[in-house]
Amino acid sequence: GAGVSQSPRYKVAKRGQDVALRCDPISGHVSLFWYQQALGQGPEFLTYFQNEAQLDKSGLPSDRFFAERPEGSVSTLKIQRTQQEDSAVYLCASSWYSGGRSYEQYFGPGTRLTVT
Amino acid sequence: AQSVTQLGSHVSVSEGALVLLRCNYSSSVPPYLFWYVQYPNQGLQLLLKYTSAATLVKGINGFEAEFKKSETSFHLTKPSAHMSDAAEYFCAVSVNTGNQFYFGTGTSLTVIP
């Protein structure tokens, strides 16, 4: 595909349920990022992958959040035992990587998670 | 530590008027700077980027931004606002020692006909 895709676009979960959010990055992009965007706020960094390696997970808010990218392409963000404060838009972005850094990020449309 | 401050969470301009959205950054090393636009229910789209080349950067849709190191600023401008420019705008900073992007809290632009 031409851009980053995410699924589902909308997810409603009851408190305590587990959810899985999928991200398909642009083909060939080594770097993949997950962000959480609360209403009226800018994206907040959650975690970063370089190929299949999760190099930075400092932004994950709790051990209920888990991300993986097993084959270095598609990534899944899993949230266990969802809480109301998890309600947000979850954005995925991918970018080229060269010379020790990532470049401009290309974002997917996001998954809006509502926990009731 | 790196951070981005966007002054003015809401900006209103008349159609045809100058657009000025402010961004100041804090970085201990030379930064890369970006402006993104977000339309309702969509992801972020890159408008333009500064990567230590020319300090005046031109982007899509007639936007441009000037990197001013002495002022630690990267303000976004457009000479003449269009109705289609109404959206949320985010400034972001990235440093070459890592892979984290730091976003501002955003500025919502309203264009008045």
Side-chain angles (χ1 to χ4, degrees), chain B residues 66-82:
Chain B
E66 186 173 8
F67 173 69
K68 292 187 177 181
K69 184 178 179 180
S70 61
E71 299 177 7
T72 61
S73 69
F74 191 56
H75 301 330
L76 182 71
T77 61
K78 182 174 180 177
S80 176
H82 295 167

Side-chain angles (χ1 to χ4, degrees), chain B residues 31-100:
Chain B
Y32 283 14
L33 294 160
F34 307 83
W35 275 99
Y36 285 86
V37 61
Q38 186 176 33
Y39 297 100
N41 298 315
Q42 294 187 26
L44 280 69
Q45 179 184 2
L46 181 68
L47 276 177
L48 49 79
K49 62 182 178 182
Y50 167 76
T51 57
S52 73
T55 56
L56 181 62
V57 180
K58 295 186 183 299
I60 63 171
N61 301 338
F63 284 94
E64 63 181 37
E66 186 173 8
F67 173 69
K68 292 187 177 181
K69 184 178 179 180
S70 61
E71 299 177 7
T72 61
S73 69
F74 191 56
H75 301 330
L76 182 71
T77 61
K78 182 174 180 177
S80 176
H82 295 167
M83 296 299 295
S84 60
D85 295 328
E88 190 84 17
Y89 291 80
F90 293 96
C91 182
V93 62
S94 168
V95 296
N96 60 7
T97 55
N99 290 286
Q100 286 199 23

Side-chain angles (χ1 to χ4, degrees), chain A residues 17-91:
Chain A
Q17 282 184 330
D18 298 348
V19 298
L21 313 180
R22 177 188 169 104
C23 171
D24 267 285
I26 293 172
S27 178
H29 277 189
V30 168
S31 297
L32 185 145
F33 304 77
W34 283 99
Y35 293 87
Q36 181 188 61
Q37 186 177 22
L39 189 64
Q41 299 296 314
E44 294 278 348
F45 171 81
L46 292 177
T47 187
Y48 163 69
F49 289 87
Q50 192 176 114
N51 293 308
E52 69 279 4
Q54 188 176 22
L55 299 186
D56 188 342
K57 53 182 181 180
S58 61
L60 296 177
S62 77
D63 59 8
R64 296 185 295 104
F65 287 70
F66 172 76
E68 60 183 4
R69 193 185 185 197
E71 297 179 358
S73 179
V74 170
S75 177
T76 304
L77 176 66
K78 298 179 179 178
I79 309 173
Q80 298 177 324
R81 304 181 303 281
T82 52
Q83 303 295 315
Q84 282 196 316
E85 61 263 29
D86 300 335
S87 295
V89 175
Y90 291 85
L91 296 168

